[in-house]
Amino acid sequence: MERAPFVTVGIPCLNEEDFIESVVRRVLGQTYPRDRFEIIVADGGSTDRTREILDELAAEDPRVKWIDNPGRIQAAGMNAIIRRARGEIVVRLDAHADYADDYLECCVRVLEATGAENVGGAARTRAKTRFQQALCAALESPFGVGGSKYRNADNEGFVESVFNGAFRRRVFEEMGLYDPCAVTNEDAELNQRILQAGGRIYLSREIVAYYYPRDSYAGLAKQYFKYGMGRARTLLKHRELPSVRPLVPFAFVLGAVGTFAFPPLRVFAIPGLVSYGLATGVEALRRGRKVGGWAVPVVWTIFPVLHVSHGVGMGYGLWRYLNQPDWSEPERVPLRPEASSTEPA
């Protein structure tokens, strides 16, 4: 019987004392052969108990290792992981997520079956608080995510992006590592390079994971502002986007500002806002009532937070990165010939 490919599971983290043990133990309990994977956590300088927990996990199981990530951001952490990874397949995981017991097994099987360079599942949401329940409902709506295929757990096939991702190591040899200056949108930027190089990305219903979204309006607004900035940076870097979806919130904000800023256009301001309010209200009713009546007004208010934060972030990002570009040719990592046969140390 052919031996299973050796897999490196990479987890970038920062101050994740509430999640890191759970996610590492979830990986250790995977159905994938226990001698055919390693776990490397890149910690960005945690000041809580994250490092202490990682020390305990590493002492308990030699498959677990952790390294410093002085760059702090996730892209820098993944790059540090990939540089020392011994797997011929690199699977990225987020700490704020739950993974099915056969997650690794499914990733490897789908990679082999499709021949894709990157595979993954849908970005399924899971809630612990009431606000997260409402946010999950909003994110399941096309109004919230713009119809992105990887947000729909029913989709299957070749796409422009997936949640996290399981990569053939040759991706990082031929197309380069994550963009080390990308504070957000690093996954989409890497996936865009894969597609531009003729590679393929596959979304599979078999690959099941759930992530926990932000639990406050402030946290959500900050997150989507950064997402908008990241999208702007990727657009300016590559001079193209795989789809027009990221431009819609920016166009919405630009249009709203324009109608108020220019007197001849103010006649459209009130009808435009009323139309937006009615459309999002109907969608909030449709999505929110599945959670409970209390969720409807919360979902309704979440939509403008998503749209305005992302749109303003993109506008700011376009201004910032037009004036201060911060990208260069991504570093490429040679494929180690021993990657497929080396056992965990």
Side-chain angles (χ1 to χ4, degrees):
M1 186 175 181
E2 188 176 347
R3 201 168 200 192
F6 194 75
V7 174
T8 294
V9 177
I11 309 173
C13 76
L14 174 64
N15 291 328
E16 296 288 1
E17 65 178 5
D18 294 332
F19 291 90
I20 194 63
E21 181 173 3
S22 174
V23 71
V24 170
R25 291 198 183 280
R26 175 68 75 177
V27 179
L28 290 174
Q30 289 283 300
T31 58
Y32 201 71
R34 59 174 289 113
D35 64 336
R36 299 304 295 162
F37 69 89
E38 63 178 351
I39 303 170
I40 305 178
V41 181
D43 182 79
S46 294
T47 55
D48 60 5
R49 292 188 60 252
T50 298
R51 293 187 170 213
E52 179 183 339
I53 294 169
L54 289 171
D55 279 334
E56 294 169 357
L57 291 167
E60 180 182 319
D61 195 310
R63 291 175 294 171
V64 181
K65 308 173 183 67
W66 74 269
I67 58 177
D68 277 310
N69 170 24
R72 294 179 66 84
I73 62 175
Q74 292 185 332
M78 280 306 303
N79 288 347
I81 290 167
I82 294 162
R83 289 188 188 100
R84 66 175 295 168
R86 292 181 293 113
E88 59 189 291
I89 294 171
V90 177
V91 178
R92 172 181 174 164
L93 300 185
D94 283 345
H96 277 259
D98 290 331
Y99 301 89
D101 291 339
D102 62 352
Y103 188 85
L104 295 185
E105 183 180 342
C106 288
C107 284
V108 172
R109 182 168 62 246
V110 174
L111 272 172
E112 293 178 340
T114 63
E117 279 65 39
N118 178 21
V119 304
R124 298 170 169 89
T125 55
R126 181 167 282 176
K128 290 185 176 181
T129 68
R130 288 193 120 193
F131 181 82
Q132 286 177 324
Q133 286 180 303
L135 178 52
C136 288
L139 292 175
E140 289 173 0
S141 165
F143 273 66
V145 297
S148 178
K149 289 184 178 179
Y150 86 97
R151 290 280 185 175
N152 188 335
D154 294 326
N155 284 332
E156 175 97 15
F158 292 101
V159 292
E160 65 190 44
S161 191
V162 291
F163 179 55
N164 286 331
F167 304 84
R168 299 180 188 276
R169 188 184 173 94
R170 69 166 185 260
V171 165
F172 307 109
E173 177 189 28
E174 298 172 0
M175 301 163 204
L177 294 169
Y178 287 87
D179 184 330
C181 296
V183 178
T184 60
N185 204 51
E186 72 281 358
D187 287 329
E189 193 279 333
L190 174 58
N191 284 327
Q192 189 165 338
R193 276 188 277 131
I194 292 173
L195 295 174
Q196 288 174 341
R200 296 181 298 169
I201 301 164
Y202 194 86
L203 176 70
S204 173
R205 289 190 292 267
E206 294 182 39
I207 302 172
V208 178
Y210 297 87
Y211 79 96
Y212 295 92
R214 295 298 190 271
D215 60 2
S216 69
Y217 286 108
L220 182 65
K222 182 178 180 181
Q223 179 188 31
Y224 271 74
F225 179 85
K226 289 183 176 180
Y227 281 173
M229 283 185 63
R231 286 292 188 180
R233 184 179 181 277
T234 301
L235 171 61
L236 294 174
K237 178 179 179 179
H238 294 288
R239 304 296 177 181
E240 65 175 317
L241 286 173
S243 74
V244 299
R245 285 196 315 274
L247 298 176
V248 174
F250 176 61
F252 166 73
V253 170
L254 201 62
V257 171
T259 56
F260 283 101
F262 297 99
L265 298 178
R266 286 177 188 169
V267 66
F268 301 108
I270 299 303
L273 289 176
V274 170
S275 298
Y276 176 81
L278 287 174
T280 53
V282 170
E283 184 66 1
L285 180 63
R286 187 172 75 91
R287 294 288 176 173
R289 67 183 179 183
K290 296 178 181 179
V291 178
W294 64 268
V296 173
V298 183
V299 174
W300 198 3
T301 54
I302 282 174
F303 284 136
V305 173
L306 294 173
H307 301 154
V308 174
S309 299
H310 192 286
V312 172
M314 188 163 202
Y316 175 74
L318 289 170
W319 173 82
R320 172 178 173 176
Y321 295 117
L322 276 170
N323 288 282
Q324 295 179 326
D326 67 349
W327 48 82
S328 59
E329 185 69 17
E331 177 187 348
R332 287 172 169 78
V333 174
L335 179 63
R336 298 178 185 178
E338 74 276 13
S340 62
S341 59
T342 304
E343 301 298 332

